[in-house]
Amino acid sequence: ALGKSVFHPDSRVDYGARIYQGTGDGFVDMALGGHLGVFLSHSHQHGNILIRIDGDRAYSETYGHVTLRRRDQAGQLIDSTNYCRYLDIWEKREDGRWKIAERAYLTDIDVTGPIPANLFEATGKRDESDPSYRLFEEGKLLPID
């Protein structure tokens, strides 16, 4: 629900023909289905955001650094690291909320290959059991279960 809340219902997104083209809601469903069933962990950092506001429309470019970790059929850990950009058109509509109307995803660099080992086990979760939900909903953090 959180991922879908940033897109207008009639939004259009284009991550390229090999990844996804369709609605924002459809992208969130596709990403969750693929990420939760395949990847052991993932990390997404975004920054260097440029925004131009023009009335009830805004245009943004956001740089991303995404790493996805999985095991191949032989059990080897594989990392896919993408350096990318998100180009978005935002619109503030009748409800007064800014949401994405259009998104294009651009891959600048993609590196995929085996890694030698894990030094630390991933402790973040990709669902409501992640400690960040408890922190922001209940104002509590420790102990982390």
Side-chain angles (χ1 to χ4, degrees):
L2 184 60
K4 291 179 179 183
S5 73
V6 302
F7 293 100
H8 284 295
D10 62 345
S11 63
R12 296 180 306 141
V13 301
D14 186 347
Y15 279 69
R18 292 187 64 201
I19 299 175
Y20 179 83
Q21 295 171 315
T23 66
D25 283 3
F27 171 75
V28 172
D29 290 339
M30 182 281 303
L32 287 175
H35 282 54
L36 295 177
V38 175
F39 298 106
L40 302 171
S41 60
H42 12 143
S43 179
H44 297 69
Q45 286 81 45
H46 298 92
N48 201 33
I49 302 168
L50 175 64
I51 303 170
R52 188 181 91 205
I53 299 173
D54 184 10
D56 288 343
R57 283 175 67 96
Y59 312 94
S60 67
E61 177 183 55
T62 305
Y63 281 77
H65 176 182
V66 177
T67 299
L68 308 170
R69 177 164 291 168
R70 64 181 171 82
R71 288 195 187 276
D72 67 11
Q73 292 178 341
Q76 172 70 50
L77 289 172
I78 305 293
D79 275 0
S80 293
T81 299
N82 307 102
Y83 296 89
C84 58
R85 288 178 287 144
Y86 301 86
L87 303 178
D88 294 316
I89 296 176
W90 300 78
E91 294 179 350
K92 183 169 70 168
R93 295 187 182 170
E94 301 81 34
D95 64 0
R97 295 182 181 199
W98 287 96
K99 294 184 180 185
I100 298 169
E102 294 183 32
R103 165 171 284 174
Y105 172 85
L106 306 174
T107 300
D108 291 323
I109 298 172
D110 175 66
V111 178
T112 298
I115 64 165
N118 259 350
L119 183 58
F120 300 104
E121 178 183 341
T123 55
K125 308 294 182 207
R126 286 306 211 197
D127 57 30
E128 292 182 14
S129 69
D130 188 88
S132 66
Y133 282 86
R134 184 172 179 215
L135 174 65
F136 289 102
E137 290 176 4
E138 301 174 22
K140 298 177 183 175
L141 182 59
L142 299 176
I144 296 175
D145 299 327

